[in-house]
Amino acid sequence: MGDLKTTYLGLALDNPFMMGSCGLTKTVDGVQRAADAGAGAIVLKSLFEEEIRLDFAGTTDAFAGYPHPEAAAYLDADIAAHYGPEKYLRLVEDASKAVSVPVIASVNCVSAATWTTFAEQLEAAGAAAIELNIYQLPLDASLSAAAVEEVYLETVRAVRTRVKIPVAVKVVPEITNLVRFSLALQDAGANGLVLFNRFFHPDIDIQTEEMSGGLVLSRPDDYRQAMRWIGVLHGRSSGSLCASTGVHNGETAARMLLVGADAVQIVSAVYSQGRTVFRQMKSELRSWMDQKGYEHISDFHGKLSRFRLGDPEAYTRAQYIKAFVGAE
Ligand SMILES: Cc1cc2nc3c(=O)[nH]c(=O)nc-3n(C[C@H](O)[C@H](O)[C@H](O)COP(=O)(O)O)c2cc1C
């Protein structure tokens, strides 16, 4: 039977199927259930930078000059009811003690502002690693792509100086040159990348002609963008690569490992099919490995990356060509 052990961010994982950051990992009970279901590691629900800054500054300072004091009070109450750094540190500590698999803290941040000292507290609370979920929607026409990217790099540098534990960056696909950027993130101190974050995109109800909620969960065929970019990045740097988006079965996990992912994160499949997907995916991956005669993940890890294949056209092709896809 195939051995599923892998290494991600220098952490030894029993298997590559991680529970990704989401509402199911915001309590110790949720973490425990994911571990019991067989997850190889667990990423906690993100704590938002605003919550940390609010805690450090106090409401008065955080909202100094804010035009609507009642709105500040509302935000304060809302955020305190939601999480707060103190609660989050307790979650990190209790969850890390409750399970034997690595528990990774996650911070959703938009800058390298004062919050980064909190990274030290996450480390002290027992986080095995920190995943930085850095993103701001660049709507300001005066901001260059380089300026947007610099925010990511500054944040990683600031966190790196604070902690010794591994730091992963969860990136978005909307980066002009992801290959160059991934190397810059590594120089800034990132130990690995998670590809990709999947943000909520609004939709429109054409009857009411109003903006409405869009699809929240991914679908099983949403994996290709992450797969292509992991395949492009594998072998270009020494950092870890983790797939996130569209991993709904063991076959897709095999694809991600074949192009060079060290681990995969699962969220939508757990929401739609329940936590039993961990066992199911492990069994599917093992069956495929048995069929192929692979004993260890290292036997096929990165076998189909662009680097290993020697820059095949499959990775560079972006246009539809009849011979390849049957349509033009
Ligand atoms: C309900 C829900 C909540 C999420 N919350 C977070 C979060 O707090 N932090 C984060 O980095 N990603 C969050 N995500 C994104 C997931 O971690 C993951 O990157 C994304 O859903 C793509 O993976 P999937 O195709 O397996 O769902 C959330 C996703 C969902 C569906």
Side-chain angles (χ1 to χ4, degrees):
M1 204 164 62
D3 168 15
L4 299 187
K5 286 191 181 63
T6 186
T7 304
Y8 172 59
L9 303 175
L11 306 166
L13 308 192
D14 202 45
N15 73 76
F17 296 97
M18 298 171 58
M19 176 82 222
S21 176
C22 67
L24 301 174
T25 60
K26 69 175 183 186
T27 60
V28 177
D29 181 55
V31 170
Q32 181 94 60
R33 281 166 181 239
D36 291 348
I42 295 155
V43 187
L44 298 177
K45 171 84 182 154
S46 300
L47 178 68
F48 284 74
E49 173 183 336
E50 296 92 307
E51 301 180 57
I52 305 166
R53 288 168 69 170
L54 188 72
D55 203 61
F56 280 151
T59 315
T60 327
D61 292 344
F63 293 103
Y66 205 77
H68 304 293
E70 68 284 7
Y74 170 78
L75 277 175
D76 190 20
D78 189 45
I79 285 172
H82 175 227
Y83 243 166
E86 281 307 318
K87 267 195 200 165
Y88 198 78
L89 289 172
R90 214 171 317 130
L91 171 65
V92 171
E93 193 173 344
D94 294 347
S96 306
K97 283 182 189 151
V99 298
S100 58
V101 298
V103 172
I104 298 176
S106 166
V107 181
N108 182 314
C109 47
V110 293
S111 76
T114 46
W115 80 264
T116 52
T117 52
F118 183 67
E120 283 170 24
Q121 291 170 265
L122 291 172
E123 180 171 44
I130 298 178
E131 187 173 288
L132 297 175
N133 173 11
I134 314 170
Y135 187 56
Q136 41 175 312
L137 200 63
L139 301 175
D140 177 353
S142 68
L143 263 185
S144 69
V148 173
E149 290 174 13
E150 188 51 32
V151 174
Y152 278 70
L153 300 175
E154 265 177 28
T155 308
V156 174
R157 276 184 220 114
V159 172
R160 181 75 283 162
T161 59
R162 302 264 172 206
V163 296
K164 293 197 174 58
I165 52 175
V167 176
V169 182
K170 195 170 188 182
V171 289
V172 288
E174 297 95 4
I175 296 287
T176 310
N177 185 341
L178 196 54
V179 179
R180 182 186 162 97
F181 186 55
S182 68
L183 295 173
L185 283 170
Q186 190 179 329
D187 284 349
N191 303 89
L193 298 187
V194 181
L195 295 91
F196 289 107
N197 208 341
R198 184 171 184 277
F199 286 95
F200 169 82
H201 294 287
D203 204 347
I204 285 179
D205 181 329
I206 58 165
Q207 294 311 322
T208 59
E209 297 185 24
E210 285 173 350
M211 304 295 286
S212 65
L215 192 68
V216 174
L217 302 182
S218 68
R219 288 183 289 220
D221 58 358
D222 284 340
Y223 65 85
R224 292 195 195 88
Q225 190 178 36
M227 189 190 81
R228 169 187 246 164
W229 283 105
I230 289 170
V232 167
L233 297 180
H234 178 74
R236 299 298 301 259
S237 73
S238 56
S240 294
L241 295 169
C242 184
S244 169
T245 300
V247 182
H248 283 244
N249 49 52
E251 285 82 4
T252 294
R255 294 182 175 105
M256 294 297 191
L257 297 164
L258 273 167
V259 294
D262 300 290
V264 297
Q265 292 186 10
I266 323 288
V267 170
S268 293
V270 179
Y271 274 103
S272 56
Q273 302 169 52
R275 292 181 181 84
T276 51
V277 287
F278 285 105
R279 268 183 231 302
Q280 193 185 313
M281 288 191 201
K282 283 197 270 186
S283 144
E284 287 164 356
L285 180 60
R286 280 207 182 95
S287 303
W288 174 79
M289 285 170 65
D290 287 351
Q291 181 203 330
K292 291 285 175 182
Y294 294 134
E295 285 179 26
H296 307 281
I297 287 180
S298 55
D299 296 342
F300 63 95
H301 179 233
K303 184 178 174 184
L304 297 185
S305 69
R306 179 173 176 232
F307 179 74
R308 290 270 288 277
L309 289 180
D311 197 12
E313 253 193 282
Y315 273 105
T316 46
R317 178 171 292 138
Q319 310 305 328
Y320 293 92
I321 292 174
K322 195 170 182 187
F324 206 57
V325 295
E328 58 188 338

